Amino acid sequence: MSASLPRDLPPYRAALVVDIKDYSGYQGAEHQSLSEQVPEILAAAFTRVGRPEVWAGKSFHDSTGDGYAVGLDPRHLPLLIDPFLGSLQRELSARHELATGAAARSPVRMRVSLSVGPLTDSGRNVLGDGKGEHRVEAHRLVDAPALKELLERTNPMRTFVAAILSERVFQDAVATGYTGLDPSEFTPAEVRIKQYRGTAYLYLPHHSGDVLANGLITASRPEAPAEEVPAAAPAAVRENRSRGGMGDLREVSGTIIAGNDGSVRTGGRQG
């Protein structure tokens, strides 16, 4: 018999985390202003889609220095993907069009991650709120190399948002048809950061730059380095690794889906 009594699960929350691209590249004197802008931008994006009450109903929320983390009602997961991500893209684009001087040359661009699961939440936004594995997951995903590279490969004056969804978010909100987006518009990517290992899904609300020609994942990001497959591995394993990774793809437009058997299909919208 267990020596400890079971504990109730914390409430389920959608964890939304955003980071400003190249935050450290801005002068220190600009950091406070940038940090203060982030919640204003997020609130404006919800207003653009006519759902300001979703932002008003946030639970835990705090600045991460170069971004923001917020807990939201998980019922709104579909909305947080579509139309919110597109609205955030339009909000940042509109701000860029109004910018002048140095601000016009260095537009604010964001990486966004979404996770969902049980997270502590007292309802008072105190220090211990928003804690749990899925909050950690959201922060790992927003720092995923695949997401950083994706935003880097777009036109900085055209694409302002790149997003990544946890596998559960994708399965619960996208694969089931609750968003207005086709699952083929998302590209799976393996994420390995510190102790975190998982499959996540990349999404761009607006395609531009190299992405238009080569898709969301390029040959520079193989599924796993060749050295991870021992020389003594069965031939079938070596063959599957060599031909099944996304790193073998060249000049493919649109979304890339690679199966475990090495099969590949493409699709999705471009902009």
Side-chain angles (χ1 to χ4, degrees), residues 30-193:
E30 300 176 273
H31 287 179
Q32 180 178 352
S33 174
L34 280 171
S35 296
E36 291 174 346
Q37 285 181 50
V38 175
E40 296 175 3
I41 291 169
L42 296 176
F46 280 104
T47 298
R48 278 181 174 270
V49 297
R51 298 297 301 274
E53 76 280 2
V54 175
W55 178 254
K58 61 187 178 296
S59 51
F60 61 85
H61 52 98
D62 59 82
S63 172
T64 61
D66 58 352
Y68 209 73
V70 59
L72 298 161
D73 191 321
R75 294 179 303 167
H76 301 309
L77 270 178
L79 175 116
L80 295 178
I81 302 166
D82 178 50
F84 173 73
L85 292 175
S87 177
L88 182 58
Q89 159 73 24
R90 291 189 294 275
E91 178 64 25
L92 290 172
S93 177
R95 288 172 179 251
H96 170 59
E97 290 177 1
L98 295 174
T100 59
R105 296 188 295 273
S106 300
V108 175
R109 307 173 75 205
M110 292 183 175
R111 303 190 310 274
V112 182
S113 71
L114 275 170
S115 182
V116 66
L119 296 172
T120 56
D121 190 353
S122 68
R124 302 188 303 275
N125 194 37
V126 298
L127 187 62
D129 286 347
K131 301 299 185 288
E133 291 184 5
H134 297 279
R135 171 73 178 271
V136 174
E137 177 178 57
H139 286 279
R140 294 292 179 262
L141 292 180
V142 85
D143 283 332
L147 182 64
K148 291 181 177 181
E149 182 183 285
L150 175 59
L151 190 56
E152 190 70 36
R153 291 172 49 232
T154 61
N155 185 326
M157 304 299 172
R158 294 288 181 268
T159 297
F160 303 93
V161 174
I164 189 167
L165 279 53
S166 73
E167 186 165 26
R168 180 166 184 183
V169 169
F170 176 81
Q171 295 297 338
D172 287 358
V174 179
T176 51
Y178 282 97
T179 71
L181 302 173
D182 190 281
S184 68
E185 297 182 56
F186 297 78
T187 297
E190 293 303 313
V191 178
R192 301 179 182 182
I193 299 181

Side-chain angles (χ1 to χ4, degrees), residues 229-249:
V229 180
V237 173
R238 294 197 299 271
E239 179 184 359
N240 184 60
R241 178 61 59 87
S242 66
R243 69 187 178 87
M246 292 179 183
D248 298 323
L249 300 174

